[in-house]
Amino acid sequence: MADRCPITDGVSFFLPVAVFVHLLRQFNRLVLGTSIAALFFGAAGAALASTAVVLDSDDDSLSVVTSDGYHEVSRAHVGRAPHHLIVSPDGRTLLIAMSEGNELVFIDRSTGIEKQRMAASDPYQIGFSPDGKWFVAASLRLDRIDIYDANNFQVVRRLPAPTMPSHIAFARDSSTVYVTLQGTSSLIAVDLASGKALWTAPIGPTPAGIVTRPTGTLLAGIMGSDYIAEIDPHDGHIIQKIHTGNGAHNFLASPDGKTLYVTNRVAGTISVLDADTLAITATLTAPGGPDDMALSPDGKELWVTDRWHASVGVIELTSGALKTIPVGRSPHGIFVY
Amino acid sequence: MFDAIQHLLTQAQGAIFEAAIQPALFHLGLMDWAEDLFDGVEFALYGALAVAIAYALCRPLELWRPVERWEDRKAVRTDIVYTIIHRVGVVPAILFVILTPIGTMIDGYLRFKGYVPPEIEQLVTPLFNHPLVTFLVYMVVLDFGEYWRHRLQHRLPWWWALHSLHHDQRQMTLWSDDRNHILDDILAMVWSGTIAMLIGVPPGEFPLVLIGFRLVESLAHTNVRLSFGAVGSALLVGPQYHRVHHSIEHAEPPFDRTRGCNFAVILPIWDVIFGTWRRGADFPQTGVAALAGRAVRCGYLEHQLEGFRRLGAVMTHFLNRRRPGFIAAFSPNQPDAA
């Protein structure tokens, strides 16, 4: 069943209203798009500086932060509870998910102009399948997983996922989506074509971030404990545990695939792992509930959102030196370009 | 200045959470509650600040020009307990745990049926780039909702049985705003949750402004001979305006709750529009005429039990097919030891 706004899900009686609302939304897209674009352009300072887009989930805002002087350039209201953002498969668009605002916002990555704003039911974590065919949104609050056709963003499957479906990873062949269930300390595997749950397996207390390794196995951060778990994608059994730090939460792989970063939310650290052997090679200090991460384009700096400190940390990877930049409350998703 | 204050509060919130809450959650295996409790710390912090500001501003007014002076302030102490456990989040936390699964179930069902709550700024698009204005528009709509909830609290016998706990205080002070039965608080959350499903939730970036609204509510209950005047009283609910709403004379026989007046919580305009505004400059005695003695001058828990008793009395009358007259239903032989 398609996930449609009740106003635009119209029978004929509501058609004029739907048309009116549509026109208003188009007008709004122009207005808001212009303001966000101004933020992006405003941050375009020094040629070699990195710019980060940060979602302040408790402030309903989008912060633009620059490494040119390491400060917040600007902040704008973007919608209710923006938590995560991803880049579209073609690399041209930033998608921002507003969980309380029930919206997806599409922003042109190069200009910052808002291209589209569409109704979507409580999108929290979002992701595209590797083949670009599917778009999946996990609704943490409503215990549900929505599978969209990525071509037209219509919901094609919607399934209950008790409870607290959180982070998303895909099988390399795009056949399956794996979603951690924080409330039931388990992992669910869902066949994308049929929308049927293949299996659900316990993987440890309060699992959070999840990624697919080049080998096909999965890695999940076990936030209620101090380890990440390597998991068999066929049945969900745990292959091995790697102890990184209390509150192991989320992952980031370096572009060359050689390094894996893991945030440890309770410990206030980031573990640096050899992506092949999963051996810990370094531990970086990152206080304030480190959450999502991004690397600067030159790969020299690791940016991380500090959920509890309303700041962004910028870690110089060779020295481990940390700079902190205040942003809005509860910063979550981050994108650096 | 507001940014600096909010930044300080945010840092305090993070420090408290990291030092005390998160380690406890981690060791108790409750990390799935981390983000809720992080928000809970914020609620408690801003709630404590709201209480401190209300005390700092309203208590001097009570000392300056009190409407009434009491030697025995035992009844006020109960209201202090009410205020603290409500505003620092004890009662809201309990209600959150009880009501969230129910709200999630209903909301989830509606989403499965394709219903997605709209937002006001989707219909009034110029609001999109003015979140503070949007927030204030939400506050006006929610205040409108509160006006009608308040009307129903007085209109429906069973709801009045609960709401009478708020009204039975004869020593009304700045602490009296949170003097409510827990079932009444649950109904308030259900009410606001229903409105949220209809129009979405307000923008979240103005917690300090919310403190201002709470201050108005504390000031409205303050024991001070203060009126906003003919014009001001039509713009913002003040001590004299709300004191008339709490007037004990409305509870004198023949009692009729529907004749109440000045129901507005923040904006008197609703009373003006719906004909429930009572002008005047009097500062009447507060309370409910039929309710006195131990039933109203007791501690928190006993007062809560009293609410259940009143509700039970009303329901008994209803089941006996008798008109649920206020006095008979509640307490025919209530000793007046006030």
Side-chain angles (χ1 to χ4, degrees):
Chain A
M1 180 181 61
D3 188 4
R4 291 167 295 191
C5 170
I7 296 172
T8 53
D9 186 17
V11 290
S12 59
F13 178 77
F14 292 108
L15 190 58
V17 177
V19 170
F20 178 63
V21 170
H22 176 73
L23 291 172
L24 287 178
R25 282 181 173 168
Q26 292 302 310
F27 172 73
N28 168 69
R29 181 169 66 81
L30 289 172
V31 174
L32 189 61
T34 306
S35 71
I36 292 178
L39 299 184
F40 278 51
F41 288 125
L48 297 177
S50 304
T51 300
V53 175
V54 180
L55 301 179
D56 309 316
S57 60
D58 276 357
D59 269 342
D60 298 346
S61 61
L62 178 154
S63 291
V64 177
V65 184
T66 179
S67 65
D68 181 18
Y70 295 97
H71 69 287
E72 182 183 22
V73 178
S74 50
R75 193 185 300 179
H77 179 79
V78 69
R80 311 283 198 286
H83 277 282
H84 292 102
L85 76 173
I86 57 171
V87 179
S88 62
D90 64 9
R92 294 178 180 173
T93 306
L94 275 181
L95 276 78
I96 302 175
M98 249 71 68
S99 58
E100 281 183 9
N102 299 302
E103 285 180 312
L104 289 170
V105 176
F106 300 70
I107 295 176
D108 187 295
R109 184 178 162 182
S110 57
T111 65
I113 292 176
E114 182 182 320
K115 298 196 292 188
Q116 188 180 357
R117 183 175 284 257
M118 59 175 278
S121 175
D122 190 28
Y124 179 72
Q125 286 274 5
I126 51 177
F128 285 99
S129 59
D131 62 3
K133 186 178 176 183
W134 308 103
F135 174 78
V136 176
S139 171
L140 183 88
R141 187 174 68 84
L142 297 177
D143 301 335
R144 197 195 57 228
I145 298 168
D146 288 341
I147 302 172
Y148 294 71
D149 182 332
N151 292 314
N152 56 19
F153 285 92
Q154 292 294 306
V155 177
V156 291
R157 307 280 183 216
R158 168 168 283 173
L159 66 151
T163 61
M164 299 178 72
S166 179
H167 292 238
I168 297 169
F170 293 89
R172 295 174 66 81
D173 63 2
S174 297
S175 64
T176 310
V177 62
Y178 306 94
V179 182
T180 51
L181 303 175
Q182 290 190 355
T184 45
S185 299
S186 54
L187 178 67
I188 185 171
V190 178
D191 180 77
L192 282 165
S194 68
K196 304 287 186 189
L198 299 172
W199 50 258
T200 303
I203 58 169
T206 323
I210 184 165
V211 289
T212 308
R213 298 187 73 195
T215 58
T217 61
L218 303 162
L219 289 175
I222 308 301
M223 189 166 59
S225 189
D226 65 347
Y227 63 89
I228 60 171
E230 185 176 21
I231 298 162
D232 187 327
H234 299 103
D235 57 10
H237 87 265
I238 295 175
I239 300 167
Q240 63 168 326
K241 299 175 182 177
I242 299 102
H243 296 269
T244 56
N246 286 352
H249 185 76
N250 208 356
F251 298 90
L252 177 73
S254 62
D256 63 7
K258 293 181 179 175
T259 307
L260 202 58
Y261 301 94
V262 179
T263 47
N264 304 304
R265 180 178 272 185
V266 179
T269 59
I270 295 174
S271 301
V272 185
L273 280 69
D274 181 301
D276 290 330
T277 64
L278 298 182
I280 298 172
T281 58
T283 301
L284 306 168
T285 300
D291 202 311
D292 285 359
M293 297 171 284
L295 279 165
S296 60
D298 62 9
K300 293 179 179 175
E301 291 177 333
L302 180 65
W303 293 62
V304 57
T305 48
D306 307 328
R307 288 294 292 281
W308 316 140
H309 283 188
S311 62
V312 170
V314 185
I315 302 169
E316 208 279 306
L317 285 171
T318 53
S319 67
L322 171 71
K323 296 184 181 69
T324 302
I325 306 167
V327 291
R329 292 178 301 146
S330 197
H332 203 169
I334 185 168
F335 173 73
V336 177
Y337 62 97
Chain B
M1 187 184 76
F2 279 103
D3 285 347
I5 294 171
Q6 186 155 314
H7 182 71
L8 272 177
L9 288 167
T10 304
Q11 295 306 307
Q13 176 192 3
I16 293 168
F17 182 78
E18 276 195 296
I21 308 297
Q22 184 171 252
L25 293 176
F26 184 76
H27 290 293
L28 292 170
L30 297 171
M31 279 299 284
D32 50 327
W33 286 89
E35 291 180 25
D36 290 326
L37 266 291
F38 182 64
D39 291 341
V41 172
E42 181 182 58
F43 184 97
L45 203 57
Y46 280 79
L49 181 65
V51 171
I53 292 174
Y55 186 80
L57 295 179
C58 299
R59 184 64 187 139
L61 294 175
E62 292 189 336
L63 294 171
W64 172 50
R65 292 182 67 190
V67 178
E68 297 171 343
R69 294 179 190 275
W70 316 290
E71 295 210 353
D72 178 4
R73 292 171 60 88
K74 183 186 173 190
V76 177
R77 287 201 292 274
T78 300
D79 286 0
I80 294 174
V81 174
Y82 266 109
T83 300
I84 291 172
I85 64 175
H86 274 74
R87 295 209 182 178
V88 304
V90 176
V91 168
I94 294 169
L95 300 185
F96 179 83
V97 171
I98 294 172
L99 293 179
T100 298
I102 300 169
T104 300
M105 188 176 68
I106 296 170
D107 201 1
Y109 173 79
L110 292 174
R111 302 298 175 93
F112 262 94
K113 294 293 182 185
Y115 177 75
V116 180
E119 294 168 346
I120 287 177
E121 62 265 43
Q122 287 177 350
L123 296 172
V124 189
T125 50
L127 290 175
F128 251 105
N129 283 325
H130 303 283
L132 179 57
V133 179
T134 306
F135 178 84
L136 294 175
V137 169
Y138 266 92
M139 289 300 107
V140 170
V141 174
L142 292 173
D143 191 54
F144 176 70
E146 284 301 281
Y147 170 83
W148 281 104
R149 183 171 72 86
H150 198 181
R151 289 286 299 269
L152 290 175
Q153 283 177 314
H154 285 254
R155 182 72 183 86
L156 303 174
W158 60 268
W159 207 343
W160 169 250
L162 299 172
H163 186 55
S164 66
L165 266 72
H166 179 72
H167 275 265
D168 66 19
Q169 177 59 281
R170 298 192 178 199
Q171 296 184 3
M172 194 172 81
T173 65
L174 70 100
W175 302 101
S176 300
D177 184 39
D178 291 294
R179 181 184 173 93
N180 295 305
H181 195 265
I182 192 158
L183 291 179
D184 210 359
D185 288 325
I186 288 175
L187 291 166
M189 285 189 82
V190 171
W191 188 268
S192 57
T194 304
I195 293 174
M197 283 192 200
L198 294 174
I199 61 168
V201 294
E205 56 260 58
F206 307 105
L208 280 173
V209 182
L210 276 178
I211 289 181
F213 287 111
R214 296 313 302 268
L215 180 61
V216 172
E217 292 171 36
S218 294
L219 179 63
H221 292 87
T222 298
N223 174 32
V224 59
R225 196 169 289 277
L226 176 68
S227 169
F228 291 166
V231 177
S233 291
L235 298 176
L236 190 67
V237 170
Q240 187 275 333
Y241 188 99
H242 198 62
R243 193 172 187 86
V244 171
H245 171 72
H246 274 264
S247 168
I248 198 167
E249 70 188 61
H250 295 316
E252 294 293 348
F255 179 80
D256 185 347
R257 297 174 305 280
T258 60
R259 287 185 199 155
C261 62
N262 296 7
F263 293 99
V265 178
I266 302 287
L267 299 173
I269 188 69
W270 312 124
D271 282 312
V272 175
I273 292 172
F274 298 106
T276 50
W277 182 24
R278 189 175 123 178
R279 299 165 192 252
D282 51 330
F283 291 86
Q285 185 189 347
T286 66
V288 177
L291 298 170
R294 185 150 186 85
V296 303
R297 292 173 58 78
C298 55
Y300 174 81
L301 287 176
E302 195 176 341
H303 199 225
Q304 289 290 301
L305 290 174
E306 169 68 14
F308 284 115
R309 198 186 66 76
R310 291 178 197 173
L311 181 62
V314 167
M315 299 310 283
T316 302
H317 271 247
F318 176 76
L319 292 173
N320 290 338
R321 296 180 179 279
R322 277 187 276 167
R323 183 178 169 79
F326 167 74
I327 296 168
F330 278 179
S331 184
N333 299 309
Q334 191 62 243
D336 189 343

